[in-house]
Every structure is written in structure tokens, then in C-alpha cells.
Amino acid sequence: MNSRFVVEAVLWIVRTGSPLRDLLLEFGKWNTVFQRFRDWIKANVFQKLFDTLSGQPDMKYALAD
């Protein structure tokens, strides 16, 4: 299963408020998504992603004219 589908499935669940078992088949089997989500929670993947996206930008490569 592609990691992108897991992220999209999680976002779909958050957006719709639907239970995980009602996940659309286009995202894959709900149990597979749940297992990947659980593994990512244990590995702090979402916390690392949040920290990366919300952190201070690295300005050393910014160019000013």
C-alpha cells in the first residue's frame, strides 16, 4: 500500500467524521490503513511531519534581490 493513500485516508476520515470501517475502497482495506496508521503513531511519524511542516523555515538558501 502506498503511503500517500494512507495519508489521504486519514485526512478523509478527519474531514468526514466517518468511522474507519466506512472508509472508501479507493483508499484500500480499512484494516490495512488502520495497521499502517497505528505503526506510524508508534513511530511518531505524524509528530515529525507536524514539526517539519510547522517549524521555522530554513532561510540560508533564500535569495534576496
Side-chain angles (χ1 to χ4, degrees):
M1 168 170 277
N2 189 341
S3 297
R4 178 180 173 195
F5 287 117
V6 175
V7 172
E8 289 183 12
V10 170
L11 292 175
W12 183 83
I13 290 170
V14 170
R15 257 192 329 265
T16 62
S18 297
L20 188 59
R21 290 181 187 254
D22 291 344
L23 187 65
L24 299 176
L25 289 177
E26 66 189 54
F27 297 115
K29 295 180 181 179
W30 73 267
N31 195 30
T32 305
V33 172
F34 171 73
Q35 289 174 0
R36 180 78 63 93
F37 177 77
R38 185 186 60 206
D39 292 343
W40 285 4
I41 291 294
K42 290 179 182 178
N44 291 324
V45 170
F46 291 106
Q47 184 63 46
K48 292 174 188 174
L49 181 63
F50 176 78
D51 293 342
T52 299
L53 294 176
S54 66
Q56 296 294 324
D58 185 8
M59 299 303 286
K60 69 181 180 182
Y61 295 109
L63 300 176
D65 290 337

